[in-house]
């Protein structure tokens, strides 16, 4: 049975009163709109935007997308020449990463169509074989594109900082320290992570960008 965000939120709120208070204060969370170009397009966007300012990344991604007339498929990307990728503004490293992603989707290493039926760990293990995709990028893909409800992105600084706002402690936990803290919220750790982001946004100096 598929559980929605509202029901999952109710269940994690019942586990811990401190989290329940943040949930009441922040309000309900919603799924983010999926990428219009589908899972492959979402990963292309993630790679393109890495280490770039928002405006530059949007411009480069827009030029890249404009080079493909029709569906943005791995085959369509592989058909673009190195010169075209450079003309879009992509560095050599990012061009190589995008080609690697497309090739691994084509050869079946990365399975996007069947991804919804694969365990989270297997999806992550396949994705991190791609140049330019690390565990954090894979986890964000699971949370926002595949809408998986039990992802616990302990490497995300915003999650770790938000955790200390909900459950105060002297120092921000390390990823290793945070990992076991999510166990009592299984199978809805994604919801807790998103309210950790929300908690960080609600604090002085927080921004709406922290509420993912």
């Amino acid at each position: 049975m598929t559980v929605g965000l509202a029901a999952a939120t109710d269940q994690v709120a019942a586990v811990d009163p401190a989290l329940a208070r943040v949930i009441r204060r922040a309000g309900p969370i919603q799924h983010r709109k999926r990428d219009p170009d589908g899972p492959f397009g979402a990963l292309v966007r993630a790679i393109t935007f890495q280490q770039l300012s928002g405006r530059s990344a949007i411009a480069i991604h827009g030029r890249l997308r404009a080079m493909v007339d029709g569906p943005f498929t791995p085959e369509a990307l592989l058909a673009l020449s190195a010169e075209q990728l450079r003309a879009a503004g992509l560095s050599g490293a990012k061009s190589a990463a995008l080609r690697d992603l497309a090739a691994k989707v084509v050869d079946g290493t990365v399975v996007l169509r069947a991804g919804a039926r694969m365990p989270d760990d297997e999806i992550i293990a396949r994705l991190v074989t791609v140049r330019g995709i690390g565990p954090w990028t894979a986890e964000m893909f699971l949370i926002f594109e595949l809408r998986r409800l039990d992802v616990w992105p302990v490497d995300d600084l915003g999650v770790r900082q938000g955790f200390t706002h909900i459950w105060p402690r002297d120092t921000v936990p390390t990823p290793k320290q945070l990992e076991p803290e999510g166990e009592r919220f299984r199978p809805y750790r994604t919801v807790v992570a998103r309210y950790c982001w929300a908690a960080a946004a609600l604090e002085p100096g927080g921004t709406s960008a922290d509420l993912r």
Side-chain angles (χ1 to χ4, degrees), residues 12-124:
V12 297
V15 172
D16 188 279
L19 179 59
R21 286 193 293 272
V22 171
I23 290 171
R24 287 194 298 270
R25 186 180 173 201
I29 53 175
Q30 304 294 331
H31 285 302
R32 193 168 72 182
K33 288 184 179 179
R34 289 188 170 105
D35 194 288
D37 286 314
F40 177 71
L43 290 170
V44 168
R45 178 182 289 272
I47 291 171
T48 302
F49 273 59
Q50 286 173 357
Q51 299 178 328
L52 288 175
S53 66
R55 186 171 298 178
S56 296
I58 290 169
I60 292 170
H61 183 266
R63 288 194 293 268
L64 174 64
R65 183 63 183 89
M67 291 177 177
V68 176
D69 184 16
F72 197 32
T73 63
E75 292 81 2
L77 190 145
L78 288 171
L80 297 175
S81 67
E83 291 74 17
Q84 285 176 299
L85 296 177
R86 280 198 299 271
L90 291 163
S91 66
K94 286 196 176 180
S95 294
L98 292 178
R99 287 187 176 280
D100 190 37
L101 168 65
K104 283 177 176 168
V105 173
V106 170
D107 72 17
T109 301
V110 173
V111 183
L112 298 180
R113 289 182 181 177
R117 296 191 296 273
M118 292 170 61
D120 294 352
D121 289 347
E122 184 174 353
I123 295 173
I124 292 172

Side-chain angles (χ1 to χ4, degrees), residues 50 128 133-141 153 155-157 197 212:
Q50 286 173 357
V128 298
I133 295 182
W136 183 87
T137 299
E139 288 167 344
M140 296 304 107
F141 176 75
D155 290 316
D156 188 281
L157 180 59
W197 284 321
R212 302 191 187 189

Side-chain angles (χ1 to χ4, degrees), residues 130-153:
V130 177
R131 291 181 60 168
I133 295 182
W136 183 87
T137 299
E139 288 167 344
M140 296 304 107
F141 176 75
L142 284 170
I143 290 173
F144 294 114
E145 192 66 26
L146 300 188
R147 297 178 176 176
R148 293 295 180 97
L149 289 177
D150 196 34
V151 182
W152 189 225

